[in-house]
Amino acid sequence: MDMLKISHISKKFAEKQVLQDVDFTVPEHAVYGFVGQNGAGKTTTMKLALGLLPADQGEIFVNGQKVSFGENPANRYIGYLPDVPEFYPYMTASEYLHFCGAVTGMDDRECKNRTEELLGLVGLSKERHRIKGFSRGMKQRLGIAQAMFNRPRLLICDEPTSALDPVGRKEILDILASAGEQTTVLFSTHILSDVERICDQFAFLHEGRIIRQGSMEEMKKSCKEAGFEVELEREQDVRRLLQRFPGGTPKGRVDVSYGQGAGLKMEEVMAWMAQEKILIRKIEKTGLSLESLFLEVVGK
């Protein structure tokens, strides 16, 4: 079953065409990456799915229910984390989540149990400070807990790892991967390695259009052969290698990388190095990264 279906959506602001015939589906219990550069239209797409903006054309369905602008009944299936979540700074994380549950009519016992469960999931169960003292990463974690409080069928996160340091990004990605066991996750990002790490499927949005979508395996099959990297024992052999096979990129004193555009076969390089008695520490093919795929499809 598709938890989210975005069908041929278009949206214009004044004279600017922000989205043009955007069409993709997010299967139930998938962790789905919505990839695009800043300004590509990711946030607009998410606001349309939440019923916060009217679409000029097309339809959106969440759990089989049509999304409508304004009063949107489909929102009862959705938890939402904006790119910069806001909280009452004088509350603790526990008080804030309990407040969120009370607002929705949840009884005290259920609020308490759900608060403890989610604070444990996001790693804030031992945090007693007021939210005003939270770091950006802690606020993102609390925002995920709040978005999941009412057990949504679909969790939408807008740039959840932007502006975080590597440790904070890892923590948020681990939480989203865990959340995928309970719900369907759609998150937007321009950080391609984040998507590569935890997503089952993804879509590339470029200048308001979906230019490629699918699983990583499907995309690898449709792209060119990957390159390879060589690590040698002696620095002087790097110069000999680059003289014999131009097009490589030095990555260190004894490392050379040949990209997929170099037009070389790894076996040819290996045969030459064996003939020349060049000592090798390591030689291996480099897997296609999401970054190389994205650059290929946008023509850069």
Side-chain angles (χ1 to χ4, degrees), residues 25-58:
T25 58
V26 179
E28 188 174 13
H29 289 296
V31 179
Y32 197 99
F34 194 36
V35 183
Q37 298 162 298
N38 292 330
K42 303 186 299 296
T43 297
T44 298
T45 304
M46 292 182 165
K47 288 183 176 179
L48 290 168
L50 291 161
L52 300 177
L53 292 172
D56 297 335
Q57 295 179 4

Short mmCIF file of all heavy atoms in Angstrom, two decimals, residues 25-58:
data_model
loop_
_atom_site.label_atom_id
_atom_site.label_comp_id
_atom_site.label_asym_id
_atom_site.label_seq_id
_atom_site.Cartn_x
_atom_site.Cartn_y
_atom_site.Cartn_z
N THR A 25 5.31 8.23 -5.27
CA THR A 25 4.59 7.56 -4.20
C THR A 25 5.57 7.07 -3.15
O THR A 25 6.70 6.71 -3.46
CB THR A 25 3.75 6.37 -4.72
OG1 THR A 25 4.63 5.44 -5.38
CG2 THR A 25 2.68 6.84 -5.69
N VAL A 26 5.11 7.05 -1.90
CA VAL A 26 5.92 6.56 -0.78
C VAL A 26 5.23 5.33 -0.21
O VAL A 26 4.13 5.44 0.35
CB VAL A 26 6.06 7.64 0.31
CG1 VAL A 26 6.89 7.10 1.47
CG2 VAL A 26 6.69 8.90 -0.27
N PRO A 27 5.82 4.14 -0.34
CA PRO A 27 5.19 2.92 0.17
C PRO A 27 5.11 2.91 1.69
O PRO A 27 5.91 3.55 2.38
CB PRO A 27 6.11 1.80 -0.34
CG PRO A 27 6.97 2.43 -1.38
CD PRO A 27 7.09 3.87 -1.02
N GLU A 28 4.17 2.17 2.21
CA GLU A 28 4.01 2.04 3.66
C GLU A 28 5.27 1.44 4.27
O GLU A 28 5.86 0.51 3.74
CB GLU A 28 2.81 1.16 3.97
CG GLU A 28 2.44 1.11 5.45
CD GLU A 28 1.15 0.35 5.70
OE1 GLU A 28 0.69 -0.35 4.77
OE2 GLU A 28 0.62 0.44 6.81
N HIS A 29 5.70 2.00 5.40
CA HIS A 29 6.86 1.57 6.19
C HIS A 29 8.19 1.77 5.48
O HIS A 29 9.20 1.19 5.88
CB HIS A 29 6.71 0.12 6.64
CG HIS A 29 5.67 -0.06 7.71
ND1 HIS A 29 5.77 0.51 8.96
CD2 HIS A 29 4.49 -0.72 7.69
CE1 HIS A 29 4.69 0.20 9.67
NE2 HIS A 29 3.90 -0.53 8.92
N ALA A 30 8.20 2.59 4.44
CA ALA A 30 9.48 2.95 3.80
C ALA A 30 10.11 4.12 4.54
O ALA A 30 9.43 4.91 5.19
CB ALA A 30 9.25 3.31 2.34
N VAL A 31 11.43 4.23 4.43
CA VAL A 31 12.14 5.46 4.79
C VAL A 31 12.54 6.08 3.46
O VAL A 31 13.40 5.57 2.75
CB VAL A 31 13.36 5.19 5.67
CG1 VAL A 31 14.08 6.50 6.00
CG2 VAL A 31 12.97 4.49 6.96
N TYR A 32 11.88 7.18 3.10
CA TYR A 32 11.95 7.73 1.75
C TYR A 32 12.66 9.08 1.78
O TYR A 32 12.30 9.98 2.53
CB TYR A 32 10.54 7.91 1.20
CG TYR A 32 10.44 8.08 -0.30
CD1 TYR A 32 10.11 6.99 -1.12
CD2 TYR A 32 10.66 9.31 -0.90
CE1 TYR A 32 10.01 7.14 -2.49
CE2 TYR A 32 10.57 9.47 -2.27
CZ TYR A 32 10.24 8.38 -3.06
OH TYR A 32 10.15 8.53 -4.43
N GLY A 33 13.70 9.21 0.97
CA GLY A 33 14.46 10.46 0.89
C GLY A 33 13.99 11.32 -0.26
O GLY A 33 13.87 10.86 -1.39
N PHE A 34 13.71 12.58 0.05
CA PHE A 34 13.27 13.56 -0.96
C PHE A 34 14.44 14.52 -1.15
O PHE A 34 14.70 15.38 -0.32
CB PHE A 34 12.02 14.26 -0.45
CG PHE A 34 11.27 15.03 -1.49
CD1 PHE A 34 11.16 14.58 -2.79
CD2 PHE A 34 10.65 16.23 -1.15
CE1 PHE A 34 10.45 15.29 -3.73
CE2 PHE A 34 9.93 16.94 -2.08
CZ PHE A 34 9.82 16.48 -3.38
N VAL A 35 15.17 14.33 -2.25
CA VAL A 35 16.48 14.95 -2.43
C VAL A 35 16.40 16.11 -3.40
O VAL A 35 15.80 16.01 -4.47
CB VAL A 35 17.50 13.91 -2.97
CG1 VAL A 35 18.87 14.52 -3.09
CG2 VAL A 35 17.52 12.68 -2.09
N GLY A 36 17.04 17.22 -3.02
CA GLY A 36 17.10 18.35 -3.93
C GLY A 36 17.94 19.47 -3.37
O GLY A 36 18.15 19.57 -2.16
N GLN A 37 18.42 20.32 -4.25
CA GLN A 37 19.18 21.49 -3.82
C GLN A 37 18.26 22.46 -3.09
O GLN A 37 17.03 22.37 -3.18
CB GLN A 37 19.81 22.17 -5.04
CG GLN A 37 20.80 21.29 -5.79
CD GLN A 37 21.07 21.81 -7.18
OE1 GLN A 37 20.16 21.87 -8.01
NE2 GLN A 37 22.30 22.17 -7.46
N ASN A 38 18.86 23.40 -2.36
CA ASN A 38 18.07 24.45 -1.73
C ASN A 38 17.29 25.21 -2.80
O ASN A 38 17.84 25.60 -3.82
CB ASN A 38 18.97 25.41 -0.96
CG ASN A 38 19.60 24.75 0.25
OD1 ASN A 38 19.03 23.83 0.84
ND2 ASN A 38 20.79 25.20 0.62
N GLY A 39 16.00 25.41 -2.56
CA GLY A 39 15.17 26.10 -3.53
C GLY A 39 14.57 25.22 -4.60
O GLY A 39 13.90 25.72 -5.51
N ALA A 40 14.76 23.91 -4.50
CA ALA A 40 14.23 23.01 -5.53
C ALA A 40 12.73 22.82 -5.44
O ALA A 40 12.10 22.40 -6.41
CB ALA A 40 14.92 21.64 -5.43
N GLY A 41 12.13 23.11 -4.27
CA GLY A 41 10.68 22.93 -4.11
C GLY A 41 10.30 21.88 -3.09
O GLY A 41 9.13 21.49 -3.01
N LYS A 42 11.26 21.41 -2.29
CA LYS A 42 10.98 20.33 -1.33
C LYS A 42 9.99 20.77 -0.25
O LYS A 42 9.02 20.06 0.03
CB LYS A 42 12.29 19.85 -0.68
CG LYS A 42 13.35 19.38 -1.65
CD LYS A 42 14.56 18.79 -0.96
CE LYS A 42 15.29 19.76 -0.04
NZ LYS A 42 15.88 20.91 -0.78
N THR A 43 10.24 21.93 0.35
CA THR A 43 9.36 22.40 1.42
C THR A 43 7.96 22.70 0.89
O THR A 43 6.96 22.39 1.55
CB THR A 43 9.96 23.65 2.09
OG1 THR A 43 11.20 23.31 2.70
CG2 THR A 43 9.02 24.21 3.15
N THR A 44 7.87 23.26 -0.30
CA THR A 44 6.56 23.52 -0.90
C THR A 44 5.78 22.23 -1.09
O THR A 44 4.58 22.16 -0.80
CB THR A 44 6.74 24.23 -2.26
OG1 THR A 44 7.38 25.49 -2.05
CG2 THR A 44 5.40 24.45 -2.93
N THR A 45 6.45 21.18 -1.55
CA THR A 45 5.80 19.88 -1.72
C THR A 45 5.25 19.37 -0.39
O THR A 45 4.12 18.87 -0.32
CB THR A 45 6.79 18.85 -2.31
OG1 THR A 45 7.32 19.35 -3.53
CG2 THR A 45 6.10 17.52 -2.55
N MET A 46 6.04 19.49 0.67
CA MET A 46 5.60 19.01 1.97
C MET A 46 4.43 19.83 2.50
O MET A 46 3.48 19.28 3.10
CB MET A 46 6.77 19.04 2.95
CG MET A 46 7.84 18.02 2.62
SD MET A 46 9.19 17.99 3.79
CE MET A 46 9.96 16.44 3.36
N LYS A 47 4.43 21.13 2.29
CA LYS A 47 3.32 21.96 2.73
C LYS A 47 2.04 21.63 1.95
O LYS A 47 0.93 21.69 2.50
CB LYS A 47 3.67 23.43 2.59
CG LYS A 47 4.69 23.90 3.62
CD LYS A 47 4.98 25.39 3.50
CE LYS A 47 5.92 25.85 4.61
NZ LYS A 47 6.23 27.29 4.51
N LEU A 48 2.19 21.28 0.70
CA LEU A 48 1.03 20.82 -0.07
C LEU A 48 0.47 19.52 0.50
O LEU A 48 -0.75 19.34 0.61
CB LEU A 48 1.42 20.63 -1.54
CG LEU A 48 1.71 21.91 -2.34
CD1 LEU A 48 2.37 21.55 -3.66
CD2 LEU A 48 0.43 22.69 -2.58
N ALA A 49 1.36 18.60 0.89
CA ALA A 49 0.92 17.33 1.46
C ALA A 49 0.22 17.52 2.80
O ALA A 49 -0.63 16.71 3.19
CB ALA A 49 2.11 16.38 1.61
N LEU A 50 0.58 18.59 3.50
CA LEU A 50 -0.04 18.89 4.79
C LEU A 50 -1.32 19.72 4.65
O LEU A 50 -1.98 20.03 5.65
CB LEU A 50 0.94 19.64 5.68
CG LEU A 50 2.14 18.82 6.18
CD1 LEU A 50 3.25 19.76 6.64
CD2 LEU A 50 1.73 17.88 7.28
N GLY A 51 -1.66 20.11 3.44
CA GLY A 51 -2.85 20.94 3.24
C GLY A 51 -2.64 22.39 3.64
O GLY A 51 -3.61 23.13 3.81
N LEU A 52 -1.39 22.83 3.77
CA LEU A 52 -1.10 24.21 4.16
C LEU A 52 -1.06 25.15 2.97
O LEU A 52 -1.09 26.37 3.14
CB LEU A 52 0.24 24.27 4.90
CG LEU A 52 0.33 23.43 6.18
CD1 LEU A 52 1.73 23.51 6.79
CD2 LEU A 52 -0.70 23.89 7.20
N LEU A 53 -0.96 24.58 1.77
CA LEU A 53 -0.99 25.36 0.53
C LEU A 53 -1.92 24.68 -0.46
O LEU A 53 -2.02 23.44 -0.47
CB LEU A 53 0.41 25.45 -0.09
CG LEU A 53 1.49 26.26 0.64
CD1 LEU A 53 2.83 26.05 -0.06
CD2 LEU A 53 1.13 27.73 0.68
N PRO A 54 -2.60 25.44 -1.30
CA PRO A 54 -3.41 24.82 -2.35
C PRO A 54 -2.56 24.50 -3.57
O PRO A 54 -1.67 25.28 -3.94
CB PRO A 54 -4.45 25.90 -2.68
CG PRO A 54 -3.73 27.18 -2.39
CD PRO A 54 -2.78 26.91 -1.25
N ALA A 55 -2.80 23.37 -4.19
CA ALA A 55 -2.10 23.02 -5.42
C ALA A 55 -2.82 23.66 -6.61
O ALA A 55 -4.05 23.81 -6.60
CB ALA A 55 -2.05 21.52 -5.59
N ASP A 56 -2.04 24.05 -7.61
CA ASP A 56 -2.65 24.58 -8.84
C ASP A 56 -3.22 23.44 -9.68
O ASP A 56 -4.27 23.59 -10.31
CB ASP A 56 -1.60 25.35 -9.65
CG ASP A 56 -1.08 26.57 -8.92
OD1 ASP A 56 -1.81 27.10 -8.05
OD2 ASP A 56 0.06 26.98 -9.20
N GLN A 57 -2.52 22.31 -9.68
CA GLN A 57 -2.97 21.13 -10.41
C GLN A 57 -2.57 19.88 -9.63
O GLN A 57 -1.63 19.91 -8.84
CB GLN A 57 -2.35 21.07 -11.81
CG GLN A 57 -2.76 22.19 -12.73
CD GLN A 57 -2.08 22.08 -14.10
OE1 GLN A 57 -1.37 21.12 -14.38
NE2 GLN A 57 -2.29 23.07 -14.95
N GLY A 58 -3.28 18.78 -9.89
CA GLY A 58 -2.92 17.50 -9.31
C GLY A 58 -3.63 17.20 -8.00
O GLY A 58 -4.40 18.01 -7.47
#
